[in-house]
Amino acid sequence: MMQRRTLAALFAASTALWMTAPTWAQAVEAPDALVKRLSADVLETIKADPELRNGNIARISQVVDTTVMPHVNFRKMTSAAVGPQWRQATPEQRESLQQAFKSMLIRTYAGALKQVSDQHLVVKPLRAAPDDKDVLVRTEVHGKGEPVQLDFRLENSDGKGWKIYNLNVLGLWMVETYRTQFAQELNKGGIDGLIQALSSRTIAVEAK
């Protein structure tokens, strides 16, 4: 379980080592090169910042907002996790869902950042054509024990740059996993009920 939490924390802390990539348009960074750069930057930040390793929520939120979120399509991630009821949500509810979901993820994985030490990601050769708009960047986490699968799904729908919108940890896709959990809350209390449930989970994690 700790290993899984550590790997999931690497979504916010992602570490990567680029190996190969096809030739992409010069104006757009290749998806696996993006994973490498973003991950290396965040990993070095974690190693150099005791507050991050100690689970300082404010500091973690700052790093996530400034370093990770610009390269994540979090709106798509949240809407996919919510499912069909996302279309029924008001703009205010959608914003609340995104903020509550992000807060829960940050606080859930804050403790796992203490486990980040000598782990690094090795990116496997990218199987994609230069004109692909949706790609899978397959990686392995190397550290203590056997290498562990950690894959990223990215899209470049507007031609302006790649954004992460899903993560596969140990064979489990994050969005699909949360969709199952969210469906239970949506069935009980609708959109507002889900927002309240996410906020309650955040509070529960903080209380531990």
Side-chain angles (χ1 to χ4, degrees):
M1 178 62 69
M2 180 58 69
Q3 184 183 46
R4 178 168 293 180
R5 290 180 61 214
T6 300
L7 293 175
L10 291 176
F11 166 65
S14 317
T15 67
L17 180 63
W18 177 47
M19 292 179 64
T20 60
T23 302
W24 303 89
Q26 291 183 356
V28 176
E29 187 176 18
D32 47 356
L34 169 64
V35 171
K36 173 192 176 180
R37 178 178 60 80
L38 174 63
S39 303
D41 288 348
V42 177
L43 179 60
E44 290 305 312
T45 301
I46 292 172
K47 290 180 177 180
D49 193 330
E51 291 189 359
L52 289 175
R53 296 195 304 275
N54 290 333
N56 184 309
I57 296 299
R59 180 69 180 122
I60 294 170
S61 297
Q62 181 184 33
V63 171
V64 169
D65 283 337
T66 59
T67 306
V68 179
M69 292 305 291
H71 304 287
V72 176
N73 188 338
F74 200 71
R75 179 183 175 87
K76 178 173 182 175
M77 185 179 294
T78 307
S79 65
V82 172
Q85 290 200 44
W86 174 265
R87 295 191 294 271
Q88 303 170 17
T90 66
E92 292 76 15
Q93 287 176 321
R94 291 179 178 182
E95 180 63 26
S96 295
L97 280 170
Q98 291 182 77
Q99 292 301 319
F101 189 23
K102 185 176 73 171
S103 295
M104 187 197 73
L105 289 175
I106 288 174
R107 285 158 176 77
T108 297
Y109 300 132
L113 293 181
K114 298 178 182 179
Q115 307 300 317
V116 176
S117 56
D118 61 346
Q119 291 94 343
H120 66 280
L121 260 66
V122 174
V123 178
K124 297 182 179 180
L126 184 62
R127 299 176 180 176
D131 58 348
D132 282 349
K133 301 300 183 183
D134 191 300
V135 301
L136 176 67
V137 175
R138 299 176 300 120
T139 80
E140 287 183 344
V141 179
H142 288 244
K144 296 181 180 179
E146 294 294 321
V148 179
Q149 173 189 2
L150 178 61
D151 300 335
F152 299 84
R153 178 66 73 178
L154 300 91
E155 68 171 2
N156 182 15
S157 57
D158 57 7
K160 296 181 179 180
W162 294 94
K163 290 185 180 293
I164 299 166
Y165 69 89
N166 207 346
L167 175 72
N168 184 341
V169 182
L170 295 172
L172 296 176
W173 286 100
M174 188 182 75
V175 167
E176 284 71 18
T177 298
Y178 278 111
R179 183 185 298 155
T180 300
Q181 298 178 22
F182 289 1
Q184 299 174 358
E185 300 297 340
L186 288 166
N187 288 336
K188 289 190 297 184
I191 294 294
D192 288 333
L194 176 58
I195 294 171
Q196 181 60 46
L198 291 175
S199 300
S200 298
R201 291 184 192 181
T202 298
I203 294 172
V205 170
E206 290 178 338
K208 291 183 179 179

